[in-house]
Amino acid sequence: MTFPQTVHITDVGPRDGLQNESTPIAAADKLALIDHLLQAGVQHFEATSFVSPKWVPQMADAAEVMQGLQSPQRQAALRDVCVSVLTPNMKGLEGALARGAQEVVVFGAASEAFSQRNINCDIATSIERFAPVVEAAHAAGVATRGAISCAVGCPYEGDIAPSQVGHVAALMRDIGVQRIAVADTIGVGTPRAVQAAMAAALQHYDLSSVAGHFHDTYGQALANTLACLEMGIARFETSIAGLGGCPYAKGATGNVATEDVVYMLHGMGIETGLDLDRLVDAAWFISGRLNRQPNSRVSVARRRR
Ligand code: HMG
Ligand code: MG
């Protein structure tokens, strides 16, 4: 069995991590978290979402966060770093382009019910709305990624067939989305189910263009990551301190912690370019703001050492 030698980590903490928190987090603290992530060597992160503030009030400060990234010190730290944001429609894209995003994420779902709850339209309509977003992003020189939520299970529909993942991957490919993420939004997947969902996505995208995005509700996310590594998948979306969750996915808890994935990868001799000790610092920083300890076995173990 050969594993990838290098893995690309996208930290989704400032976005997925903070979009579901009831404790208000100031834009200045979100920016301080991003500073910590940059110090840890993060090369790719999701900064925020340009979504309706009525739907996700936690991301209402998207413009302010993006503006904060324009300071000269941060611009220097952001050289060679990809800043991603979520954009469900043209209004979101306009905000993202005006604020210097380098990658935009359109977010669809393998489940009709979840698509309705999360973005208020069915899958076919979501693709119609994403098409001009993708076209305009590329025209502006901005990269695109598509998230396929509920790729193994849905809070409303239960188990999701791999063919549904393949169907949405094909639709995303047809509108030109450059990369996709196969997401276990509610963290119910186990390794074989995740491999089947991945295999369906890989019918339509190259190995190098597919990422795994695993929430850890049932404690399966590291096992699912390993199962994807076995397939040669070398891109993962993880969240500092194990933060995360989607307000429209009832019962879903945090993403797998970046620190935990990095600890596993480094232990396997797989490079990430990230500094584990500094990730742990970042995790304790943001967890302090949330008045709790990190939802990461590694961050807790490191502080006890
Ligand atoms: P809608 O109500 O159908 O939209 O929502 P609309 O076009 O009818 O507009 C309604 C209002 O929203 C209008 O304002 C628009 O201007 C405004 P009003 O006239 O009432 O004052 N609006 C916007 N405002 C700011 N930015 C925008 C925007 N668009 C419309 N881009 C919509 C449709 C998609 C907007 C809404 O459902 C929405 O914002 N949903 C976002 C849900 C969300 O962010 N979920 C979490 C992210 S996905 C996720 O976490 C999963 C992921 O991590 C992978 C995984 O784990 O599965 C990616
Ligand atoms: Mg997520």
Side-chain angles (χ1 to χ4, degrees):
M1 195 176 296
T2 54
F3 293 110
Q5 289 182 331
T6 305
V7 156
H8 180 97
I9 298 280
T10 302
D11 196 289
V12 299
R15 192 279 305 172
D16 197 331
L18 298 179
Q19 73 183 8
N20 202 30
E21 288 295 337
S22 49
T23 307
I25 299 290
D29 284 334
K30 295 178 179 181
L31 289 160
L33 170 62
I34 291 169
D35 291 339
H36 275 282
L37 294 175
L38 294 172
Q39 279 158 20
V42 166
Q43 293 288 301
H44 191 173
F45 67 95
E46 287 183 359
T48 186
S49 303
F50 284 88
V51 296
S52 163
K54 286 184 191 138
W55 283 68
V56 188
Q58 291 90 336
M59 297 286 113
D61 58 2
E64 195 182 344
V65 170
M66 293 300 280
Q67 185 61 37
L69 297 181
Q70 301 300 321
S71 77
Q73 300 94 311
R74 291 210 179 91
Q75 283 296 300
L78 285 166
R79 206 173 296 129
D80 304 324
V81 174
C82 181
V83 181
S84 300
V85 301
L86 267 61
T87 53
N89 51 23
M90 285 304 284
K91 185 175 170 110
L93 182 78
E94 282 154 22
L97 294 184
R99 300 287 172 173
Q102 283 137 5
E103 183 188 56
V104 296
V105 182
V106 290
F107 46 106
S111 140
E112 284 289 357
F114 184 74
S115 178
Q116 284 290 352
R117 303 276 180 128
N118 196 40
I119 51 173
N120 207 22
C121 63
D122 61 20
I123 293 171
T125 307
S126 75
I127 297 293
E128 279 169 29
R129 288 184 189 164
F130 298 156
V133 172
V134 171
E135 193 181 337
H138 293 168
V142 166
T144 53
R145 175 157 42 98
I148 304 179
S149 290
C150 295
V152 282
C154 168
Y156 313 108
E157 292 183 10
D159 290 347
I160 296 294
S163 58
Q164 288 179 245
V165 177
H167 172 63
V168 177
L171 293 172
M172 287 199 172
R173 182 206 54 204
D174 290 347
I175 60 166
V177 175
Q178 290 167 321
R179 297 181 192 280
I180 55 168
V182 173
D184 183 8
T185 314
I186 56 170
V188 291
T190 47
R192 288 212 168 108
V194 165
Q195 285 182 331
M198 278 292 176
L202 289 169
Q203 300 278 312
H204 307 285
Y205 278 87
D206 293 346
L207 200 50
S208 61
S209 305
V210 179
H213 176 123
F214 302 123
H215 287 259
D216 200 30
T217 318
Y218 283 79
Q220 305 296 302
L222 272 184
N224 292 337
T225 302
L226 186 62
C228 290
L229 288 168
E230 279 179 17
M231 298 174 80
I233 302 282
R235 300 180 82 91
F236 295 94
E237 299 171 5
T238 63
S239 181
I240 194 71
L243 299 172
C246 175
Y248 299 99
K250 204 165 169 275
T253 60
N255 292 77
V256 66
T258 304
E259 315 88 278
D260 294 9
V261 171
V262 166
Y263 179 85
M264 179 180 83
L265 293 170
H266 290 184
M268 294 170 71
I270 297 172
E271 287 170 25
T272 64
L274 298 176
D275 179 330
L276 183 60
D277 289 328
R278 297 231 161 165
L279 287 173
V280 170
D281 290 342
W284 280 96
F285 163 75
I286 192 61
S287 301
R289 290 292 186 271
L290 293 164
N291 299 312
R292 56 173 192 248
Q293 64 175 29
N295 187 18
S296 153
R297 302 285 277 265
V298 168
S299 279
V300 171
R302 284 276 168 148
R303 278 289 150 104
R304 289 218 179 104
R305 243 185 359 185

